[in-house]
């Protein structure tokens, strides 16, 4: 039955009553007085407006549940926030009504942002403004497209706000710049230009701003309803009418003979004194209280033309929840009315225990335990058949952390916000391709692509070979062209005795597979790399980007929810009419921004009983247990900030709503969520180590209920913290002991190089890890060329020079050596430090070395460079041990004696360290040489052993010869002593009298080794 004409039909559903089920029940039983239940089989003639698409789906589900098992035609449910639904609604009412609506299409979001970006860039360039930053809230002009594109989003939001509020752009001219600083004067100037230019841009294209088009559709719908009131029920539910056009539509619906407006959580119990102090903004002399949870609803009642006393409440609320709601409303009273708190406390004293019995507060030490405690609270409901739970939070980072924690139980929550495309596998892969171009195909960037699971063109073995042979070590090849040459260098290095074992193990067939992978990478990425060289059309770059993804990801590029979402992003870029010419960094920034705005639904089945809602979704939803997460200031409520273009004074002068309106909206959502049957409020005391302030909503509630009740709420929440801590608790573990493994003799190495003997004496565990466990360290990706590389280059240059000069001393030895050096340094020429620091060092080394060499030539019969030798000797257990060596240089003097020379570009060991056998490299080499066991070096007495110090960390070091200050007789004794000492150590290891002790005789406590992490050195070492 329809109600009498002239009456304004406005209802409210109190907090504590599930909104959508209560609404459905009222509809079915005609509790709204709109004749809804006249035909229990066909409700299709009725229309219900709700705020969002998600609310529309939830309402349809609520109808289906309430009417089950009856087959019923449901009403038409229209989201107020979607212009397409509004337009479709208008068309369905009849061609005549649709023709009356003058609604040109809305400009696409990307088109608008790009055009506004161009507008900002033109103005910035014309004014010569670069990196201008306002103080405080504000206006910031960056230095390029990416900054302007970001600012364009804020400008678009401001344009929409002007349209929503009906504020004319002409008001900008009334702002007096002298009242504000120079930054806001520039803002006024820019907005005046934008206000004049932007409507012309839209008019040329026959388009409207989205907010303006939505306004027209809403107002046209309101006018249609007034002009031709429908005979079917029309209901608007759940909206607070903060958009003026929406409020106008609600006003029209409330006055229809079969119309009704249903408000969420209007406070009908507040006294007149408190109610009079609430205002959304200054109107009719009212005090401004925009942060109050009832502010928006009070303003809407004014727009509807109805007093609060005329609003009827529907739905039943349990006494405990009704008492809790009364406490929430009392706690939220305007500040000027809080002197009534003592009386309100006394009135509610008898109900407090029941009202708060199912309210808990959790104050976690940090954000990790906050998320885990919430996950525990959500997971617990699954133990009760049919029970539901929801996390309500504006903090998306917290929502993601909770989702991750739930995965430990295999629970995938139904998250209303979805997953950002940028965080999906294919979205991440698309960004990696851009990163590779931006970083000129560095080893790290290229390997990120090659090792990504979306890559479908290579085997794991080919990727591993590419990594070891082409990407690890000093990167001597850069750019897209350099990709193809990386493995060529690897083939040269495989035969080098200095190459790591992992590289030397690579077989030719594996190299061929890695080359095929590189060819595929180059083929797919070449078009994108070519466009990145100079500014290009946005659509052209995007097309090459998409083609690269298709070529590298194969089937994965077209399958899955993330593939569909990514295709949508590329379609937006291709279909936009604005096609600016962009540099590649600007394209990458734009692409990242678009990916961040696109979300995807979970690909796996979700657990429908556990949900994650934003504040707007939570307004109309209900769950048995609701967790209010992130209850800290700046999160809930959000930080109040003006837009980048207008400060508070400017907004007030223009009549725009204050930023504090958002506080009132979030306060309203807080009050509704807290009135759930079971409510848990959660916050973290610190976030990323920074102490946080509890939300004002929580502090207000604490202040009203008193210390005892606040303590009781936290006591109930303590269980969740204890459970979260217990989940990750582990028995106390003793620190790892210092490793001293004693492997069987059969597993111990039977051959070591003389350079490894130093390691054996100082850190035996490193020998164990390398030769017994077979663990070989990998070169880092994109290793910075260090002193070791410099030493190798200089060693190789000197070796080549000495070998060539023995038979034919050059006429200009210095120029000859410099030419050799240039050739050896060439692969590293792209590294700035080489030309800036290394080359000057080499020039000094070359000058000194030529003089030194000329002075010694008469006494040298022959010189052997980079020559290999070995000594085999028996051990006590009957096995043989091979000691290998490669000498930098051995000079045979005219008298047949030998001089052992070792080039050093770092600090050489002291004579004492050599004498003690801690660094016996030279003496062991001398012993091998004295036996004639080096190739091309006849046996002979050792005349001297010496280090040739060529360079060091200091750029000022003067090359020099550093002889070991002992006689030939002492050297002979050391040789024997060190060989015998080596045999003793090896025999003790073979017999397991001693073990391979970690860091046995490390020279300095700060020295680190390749295997210290494996030895868990930090657990047992004493600083």
């Amino acid at each position: 039955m329809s109600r009498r004409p002239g009456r304004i039909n406005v209802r409210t559903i109190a907090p504590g009553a599930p909104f959508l089920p209560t609404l459905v029940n009222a509809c079915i039983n005609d509790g709204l007085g709109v004749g809804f239940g006249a035909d229990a089989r066909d409700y299709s003639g009725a229309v219900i407006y709700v705020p969002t698409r998600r609310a529309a789906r939830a309402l349809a589900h609520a109808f289906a549940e309430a009417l089950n098992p009856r087959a019923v035609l449901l009403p038409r449910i229209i989201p107020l926030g979607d212009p397409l639904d509004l337009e479709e609604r208008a068309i369905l009412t009849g061609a005549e009504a649709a023709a009356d609506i003058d609604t040109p299409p809305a400009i696409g979001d990307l088109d608008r942002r790009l055009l506004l970006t161009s507008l900002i860039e033109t103005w910035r360039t014309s004014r010569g403004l670069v990196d201008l930053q306002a103080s405080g809230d504000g206006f910031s002009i960056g230095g390029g497209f990416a900054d302007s594109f970001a600012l364009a989003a804020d400008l678009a939001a401001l344009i929409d706000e002007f349209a929503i509020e009906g504020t004319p752009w002409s008001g900008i001219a009334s702002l007096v710049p002298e009242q504000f600083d120079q930054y806001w004067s520039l803002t006024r100037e820019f907005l005046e230009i934008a206000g004049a230019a932007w409507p012309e841009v839209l008019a040329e294209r026959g388009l409207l701003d989205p907010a303006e088009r939505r306004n027209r559709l809403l107002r046209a719908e309101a006018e249609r309803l007034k002009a031709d009131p429908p005979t079917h029920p029309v209901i608007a539910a759940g909206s607070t009418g903060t958009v003026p056009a929406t409020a106008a539509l609600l006003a029209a619906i409330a006055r229809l003979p079969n119309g009704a407006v249903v408000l969420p959580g209007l406070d009908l119990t507040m006294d007149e004194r408190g109610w009079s102090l609430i205002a959304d903004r200054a109107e009719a002399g009212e005090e401004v209280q925009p942060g109050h949870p009832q502010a928006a609803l009070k303003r809407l009642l004014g727009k509807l033309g109805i007093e609060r006393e005329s609003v009827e409440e529907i739905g039943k609320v349990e006494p405990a929840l009704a008492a809790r709601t009364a406490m929430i409303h009392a706690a939220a009273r305007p500040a000027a009315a809080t002197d009534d708190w003592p009386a309100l406390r006394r009135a509610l004293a008898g109900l407090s225990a029941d009202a708060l019995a199912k309210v808990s507060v959790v104050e976690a030490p940090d954000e990790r335990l906050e998320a885990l405690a919430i996950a525990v609270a959500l997971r617990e409901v699954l133990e009760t058949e049919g029970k539901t739970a929801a996390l309500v939070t504006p903090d998306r980072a917290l929502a993601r952390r909770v989702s991750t924690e739930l995965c430990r139980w295999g629970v995938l929550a139904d998250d209303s916000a979805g997953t950002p495309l940028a965080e999906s596998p294919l979205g991440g892969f698309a960004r990696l391709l851009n990163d590779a171009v931006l970083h000129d195909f560095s080893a790290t960037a290229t390997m990120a692509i090659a090792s990504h699971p979306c890559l479908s063109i290579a085997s794991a073995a080919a990727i591993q070979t590419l990594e070891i042979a082409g990407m690890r070590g000093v990167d001597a090849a850069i750019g897209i062209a350099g990709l193809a040459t990386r493995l060529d260098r690897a083939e040269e290095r495989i035969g080098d005795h200095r190459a790591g074992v992992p590289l030397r193990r690579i077989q030719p067939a594996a190299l061929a597979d890695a080359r095929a992978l590189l060819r595929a990478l180059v083929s797919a990425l070449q078009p994108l790399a070519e466009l990145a060289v100079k500014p290009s059309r946005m659509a052209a770059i995007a097309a090459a980007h998409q083609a690269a993804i298709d070529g590298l990801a194969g089937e994965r590029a077209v399958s899955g929810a993330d593939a569909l979402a990514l295709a949508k992003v590329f379609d937006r870029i291709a279909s936009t009419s604005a096609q600016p010419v962009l540099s590649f960094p600007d394209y990458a920034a734009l692409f990242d921004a678009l990916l961040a705005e696109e979300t995807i639904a979970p690909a796996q089945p979700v657990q429908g009983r556990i949900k994650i809602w934003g504040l707007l979704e939570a307004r109309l939803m209900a769950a048995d247990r609701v967790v209010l997460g992130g209850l800290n200031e700046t999160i809930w409520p959000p930080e109040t900030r003006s837009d980048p273009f207008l400060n508070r004074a400017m907004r007030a002068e223009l009549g725009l709503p204050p930023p504090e309106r958002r506080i009132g909206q979030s306060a309203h959502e807080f009050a509704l969520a807290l009135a759930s049957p079971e409510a848990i409020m959660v916050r973290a005391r610190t976030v990323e180590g920074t102490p946080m302030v509890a939300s004002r909503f929580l502090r207000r509630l604490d202040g009203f209920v008193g210390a005892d009740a606040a303590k009781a709420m936290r006591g109930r929440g303590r269980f969740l913290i204890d459970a979260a801590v217990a989940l990750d608790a582990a028995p106390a573990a003793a620190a790892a002991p210092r490793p001293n493994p004693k492997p069987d003799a059969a597993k111990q190495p039977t051959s070591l190089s003389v350079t490894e003997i130093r390691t054996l004496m100082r850190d035996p565990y490193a020998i164990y890890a390398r030769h017994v466990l077979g663990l070989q360290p990998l070169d880092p990706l994109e290793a910075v060329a260090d002193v070791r590389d410099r030493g190798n280059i200089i060693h190789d240059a000197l070796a080549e020079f000495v070998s060539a000069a023995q038979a034919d001393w050059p006429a200009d030895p210095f120029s000859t050596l410099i030419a050799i050096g240039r050739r050896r340094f060439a692969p590293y020429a792209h590294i700035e430090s080489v030309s800036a620091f290394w080359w000057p060092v080499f020039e000094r080394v070359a000058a000194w070395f030529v003089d030194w060499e000329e002075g010694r030539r008469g006494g040298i019969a022959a010189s052997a460079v980079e020559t290999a030798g070995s000594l085999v000797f028996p051990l006590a257990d009957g096995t043989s041990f091979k000691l290998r060596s490669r000498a930098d240089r051995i000079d045979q003097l005219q008298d047949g004696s030998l001089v052992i020379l070792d080039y050093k570009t770092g600090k050489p060991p002291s004579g004492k360290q050599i004498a003690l056998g801690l660094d016996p490299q030279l003496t062991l080499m001398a012993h091998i040489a004295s036996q004639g066991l080096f190739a091309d070096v006849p046996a002979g007495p050792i005349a001297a052993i010496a280090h040739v110090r060529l360079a060091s960390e200091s750029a000022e070091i003067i090359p020099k010869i550093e002889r070991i200050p002992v006689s030939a007789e002492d050297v002979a004794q050391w040789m024997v002593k060190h060989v015998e000492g080596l045999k003793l150590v090896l025999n003790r290891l073979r017999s397991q009298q001693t073990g391979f002790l970690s860091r046995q005789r490390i020279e300095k406590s700060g020295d680190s080794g390749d295997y210290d992490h494996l030895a868990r050195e930090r657990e047992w070492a004493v600083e």
Side-chain angles (χ1 to χ4, degrees):
M1 176 182 290
S2 63
R3 55 188 173 76
R4 64 182 183 275
R7 182 186 174 195
I8 302 175
N9 189 12
V10 180
R11 313 293 177 98
T12 186
I13 297 176
F19 190 92
L20 294 180
T22 301
L23 175 65
V24 169
N25 182 65
C27 289
I28 294 173
N29 297 298
D30 199 23
L32 301 178
V34 294
F36 196 101
D39 187 343
R41 293 169 300 171
D42 186 1
Y43 298 146
S44 60
V47 175
I48 302 177
Y49 293 94
V50 292
T52 64
R53 280 183 174 271
R54 186 177 180 88
R57 292 193 298 267
L59 179 57
H61 180 70
F63 267 107
E65 280 193 336
L67 296 170
N68 185 49
R70 286 183 287 166
V72 176
L73 295 174
L74 296 181
R76 179 168 178 76
I77 304 171
I78 301 175
L80 286 168
D82 195 321
L84 293 177
D85 289 284
L86 292 171
E87 184 176 39
E88 186 179 354
R89 161 69 178 151
I91 293 172
L92 289 174
T93 60
E96 210 176 298
D100 294 336
I101 302 176
D102 181 18
T103 53
I107 187 171
D109 177 63
L110 184 56
D111 263 330
R112 180 165 72 154
R113 285 182 68 178
L114 290 171
L115 290 170
L116 290 174
T117 300
S118 176
L119 189 64
I120 293 169
E121 281 284 273
T122 301
W123 178 73
R124 180 182 65 83
T125 304
S126 67
R127 289 297 307 267
L129 301 173
V130 178
D131 293 331
L132 178 64
Q133 175 68 52
S135 56
D137 282 341
F139 189 46
S140 171
I141 306 169
F145 176 88
D147 293 323
S148 297
F149 185 73
L151 191 60
D154 295 316
L155 179 57
L158 183 63
I159 290 171
D160 286 343
E161 190 171 10
F162 269 71
I164 289 169
E165 296 297 329
T167 301
W169 280 92
S170 58
I172 297 292
S174 67
L175 298 177
V176 182
E178 288 77 14
Q179 294 177 358
F180 313 110
D181 65 29
Q182 60 171 325
Y183 300 102
W184 301 114
S185 299
L186 282 171
T187 300
R188 196 204 74 162
E189 174 193 311
F190 171 71
L191 290 179
E192 281 188 296
I193 295 172
W198 183 241
E200 294 178 2
V201 172
L202 291 176
E204 287 175 3
R205 290 165 171 75
L207 300 172
L208 289 175
D209 281 308
E212 176 59 29
R213 185 169 187 273
R214 181 169 173 270
N215 277 352
R216 291 192 186 186
L217 290 171
L218 286 168
R219 294 188 185 281
E221 179 70 349
E223 292 302 318
R224 184 189 67 79
L225 293 174
K226 291 177 184 178
D228 184 18
T231 57
H232 58 259
V234 180
I235 301 165
S239 176
T240 57
T242 53
V243 175
T246 302
L249 176 60
L250 297 182
I253 292 172
R255 287 172 168 77
L256 292 175
N258 291 326
V261 171
V262 183
L263 304 179
L266 177 65
D267 184 0
L268 298 178
T269 62
M270 186 182 296
D271 59 25
E272 274 306 312
R273 178 178 177 237
W275 186 254
S276 66
L277 294 172
I278 300 170
D280 184 62
R281 54 182 170 179
E283 292 178 357
E286 295 176 310
E287 182 182 347
V288 179
Q289 290 283 341
H292 193 278
Q294 295 290 311
L297 289 173
K298 182 180 180 184
R299 182 167 183 249
L300 177 60
L301 291 181
K303 297 287 185 181
L304 297 179
I306 187 173
E307 296 297 325
R308 184 171 54 125
E309 293 74 15
S310 301
V311 177
E312 298 180 27
E313 189 171 85
I314 59 175
K316 294 182 179 180
V317 180
E318 296 179 3
L321 289 180
R324 191 192 305 169
T325 298
M327 297 178 72
I328 295 168
H329 288 161
R333 283 178 72 80
T338 53
D339 56 345
D340 293 334
W341 270 10
L344 292 170
R345 285 196 194 99
R346 288 192 295 272
L348 295 170
L351 304 173
S352 296
D354 290 341
L356 298 177
K358 292 186 178 181
V359 177
S360 306
V361 175
V362 177
E363 293 190 307
D366 54 44
E367 68 271 31
R368 187 189 70 82
L369 277 176
E370 177 191 26
L372 186 51
I374 292 172
V376 171
L378 298 176
R379 171 63 180 83
E380 188 184 22
V381 304
L382 297 182
E383 300 301 312
T384 303
E385 184 67 29
K387 190 174 182 179
T388 59
L391 166 63
V392 179
T393 181
D395 186 352
R396 287 305 307 159
L398 174 61
R400 287 192 292 271
R401 286 196 297 270
V402 172
S403 295
T404 300
E405 294 292 355
L406 284 170
C407 289
R408 66 169 70 200
W409 297 289
V411 174
L412 189 63
D414 181 6
D415 190 345
S416 64
T419 302
L421 176 57
E423 297 177 15
S424 71
L426 198 60
F429 186 69
R431 296 180 66 196
L432 288 177
L433 299 192
N434 285 345
D435 286 344
V437 175
L438 289 171
H439 292 91
D440 207 12
F441 299 92
S442 66
T444 300
T446 305
M447 278 311 303
I449 296 172
S451 58
H452 197 279
C454 285
L455 185 76
S456 64
I457 60 171
S459 65
I463 294 170
Q464 184 182 66
T465 302
L466 175 63
E467 176 183 351
I468 294 173
M471 301 296 166
R472 290 195 173 272
V474 177
D475 179 11
I478 58 174
I480 188 73
L483 284 179
T485 64
R486 291 178 189 267
L487 293 180
D488 295 336
R489 257 193 95 228
E491 274 191 310
E492 300 171 7
R493 289 161 47 219
I494 286 174
D496 190 337
H497 69 278
R498 291 182 296 236
V501 173
L503 181 60
R504 296 203 303 268
R505 286 175 177 169
I506 292 177
Q507 300 299 314
L511 269 179
D513 291 341
R515 275 203 175 86
L517 170 57
L518 266 185
R519 284 195 298 271
L521 286 172
V522 171
S523 175
L525 294 169
Q526 184 79 45
L528 187 62
E530 290 174 353
L531 287 174
V533 174
K534 60 181 180 180
S536 304
R537 287 285 177 190
M538 178 181 68
I541 302 176
H545 189 191
Q546 188 173 24
I549 296 169
D550 293 342
L552 296 176
E555 186 66 25
R556 183 63 182 83
V558 294
S559 62
D562 55 353
L564 294 175
L566 186 60
K568 181 179 176 181
V569 170
F570 282 119
D571 286 346
R572 287 179 65 192
I573 294 175
S575 61
T576 183
S577 60
Q579 287 293 337
V581 175
L582 303 177
S583 68
F584 193 82
D586 287 340
Y587 167 79
L590 180 146
F591 184 79
D592 284 350
L594 296 180
L595 249 60
E597 295 168 3
E598 191 71 32
T599 59
I600 55 176
Q604 302 172 348
V606 298
Q607 172 51 257
R609 289 165 56 197
I610 295 181
K611 303 177 186 295
I612 298 176
W613 294 328
L615 301 190
L616 185 59
E617 291 87 2
R619 180 191 300 170
L620 307 186
M621 306 296 185
D624 299 315
R625 172 180 289 178
V626 171
V627 180
L628 292 76
L631 279 171
N632 284 326
E633 286 293 304
T634 73
I635 297 174
W636 196 342
E639 185 177 5
T640 56
R641 298 181 61 186
S642 297
D643 64 81
F645 294 94
L646 299 174
N647 61 22
R648 294 166 187 267
M650 287 177 165
R651 293 178 67 86
E653 193 167 330
L654 290 169
L656 293 174
E660 286 76 14
R661 177 182 281 188
R662 294 178 62 201
I663 296 177
Q665 292 169 344
S666 60
H668 187 224
E669 318 303 348
F670 173 83
L672 293 175
L674 188 56
S676 301
E678 192 176 342
I680 303 172
M681 295 177 281
V682 186
R683 63 176 291 259
R685 291 195 186 95
T686 63
V687 174
E688 296 182 354
T690 302
M692 302 298 291
V693 176
S695 167
R696 67 191 67 181
F697 306 149
L698 177 57
R699 285 182 281 130
R700 264 294 186 108
L701 184 64
D702 283 344
F704 178 77
V705 302
D708 291 341
K711 182 178 179 181
M713 289 190 293
R714 284 159 178 79
R716 288 188 287 272
R718 184 66 211 177
F719 162 75
L720 293 172
I721 289 293
D722 293 341
V725 171
L727 272 175
D728 289 338
R738 189 176 192 171
N740 189 28
K742 298 178 180 179
D744 292 340
K747 296 179 180 179
Q748 295 185 28
T750 57
S751 176
L752 292 173
S753 68
V754 292
T755 55
E756 288 179 304
I757 301 304
R758 179 186 187 277
T759 305
L760 179 67
M761 297 302 177
R762 292 185 176 275
D763 189 10
Y765 184 81
I767 298 297
Y768 166 80
R770 183 186 293 268
H771 292 282
V772 178
L773 300 182
L775 301 175
Q776 304 294 330
L778 290 173
D779 291 329
L781 285 172
E782 292 184 82
V784 177
D786 56 18
V787 292
R788 182 181 62 176
D789 300 295
R790 182 184 63 181
N792 289 339
I793 297 171
I794 295 176
H795 276 57
D796 293 342
L798 297 183
E800 181 180 345
F801 175 79
V802 171
S803 295
Q806 282 191 81
D808 185 15
W809 185 255
D812 186 352
F814 176 76
S815 297
T816 301
L817 181 52
I818 288 295
I820 294 172
R822 289 192 186 281
R823 189 172 67 254
R824 293 286 181 173
F825 273 91
Y828 302 86
H830 67 285
I831 303 174
E832 291 184 4
S833 59
V834 170
S835 58
F837 300 105
W838 291 12
W839 182 250
V841 170
F842 180 76
E843 288 180 318
R844 288 198 298 274
V845 168
W848 175 86
F849 188 82
V850 168
D851 289 343
W852 179 64
E853 191 69 13
E854 283 185 323
R856 299 177 66 245
R857 282 181 54 77
I860 298 175
S863 294
V865 296
E866 293 295 329
T867 181
S870 62
L871 171 68
V872 179
F873 52 82
L875 297 177
D877 62 356
T879 61
S880 296
F881 185 86
K882 184 177 183 180
L883 180 64
R884 308 184 315 276
S885 179
R886 180 176 290 273
D888 286 344
R889 179 172 176 177
I890 301 176
D891 288 341
Q892 183 185 12
L893 304 182
Q894 296 293 352
D895 61 3
S897 62
L898 304 175
V899 176
I900 312 298
L901 299 175
D902 185 45
Y903 298 140
K904 287 293 184 185
T905 51
K907 182 181 178 181
S910 66
K912 183 177 181 181
Q913 290 172 330
I914 296 174
L916 292 174
L918 296 176
D919 201 327
Q921 177 183 355
L922 277 178
T923 53
L924 294 177
M925 289 169 58
H927 183 77
I928 296 172
S930 68
Q931 306 295 313
L933 298 176
F934 275 102
D936 302 322
V937 179
I942 304 301
I945 57 176
H947 292 110
V948 181
R949 192 173 187 185
L950 302 171
S952 75
E953 292 79 3
S954 171
E956 302 301 323
I957 191 70
I958 299 174
K960 61 181 178 179
I961 183 78
E962 292 194 358
R963 293 181 180 272
I964 309 304
V966 292
S967 64
E969 291 76 12
D970 288 337
V971 172
Q973 291 178 8
W974 287 2
M975 289 161 38
V976 175
K977 178 182 177 181
H978 292 168
V979 171
E980 292 303 317
L982 174 60
K983 291 179 181 179
L984 177 63
V985 169
L986 293 172
N987 284 329
R988 289 172 64 83
L989 289 170
R990 287 286 199 282
S991 64
Q992 298 183 330
Q993 295 177 56
T994 60
F996 289 83
L997 185 64
S998 177
R999 297 173 64 88
Q1000 180 171 288
R1001 297 185 186 89
I1002 293 299
E1003 184 175 356
K1004 293 182 293 186
S1005 61
D1007 289 349
S1008 60
D1010 291 330
Y1011 302 97
D1012 287 349
H1013 63 292
L1014 183 66
R1016 299 174 70 170
E1017 177 260 345
R1018 292 192 177 185
E1019 292 190 36
W1020 50 262
V1022 177
E1023 295 294 337

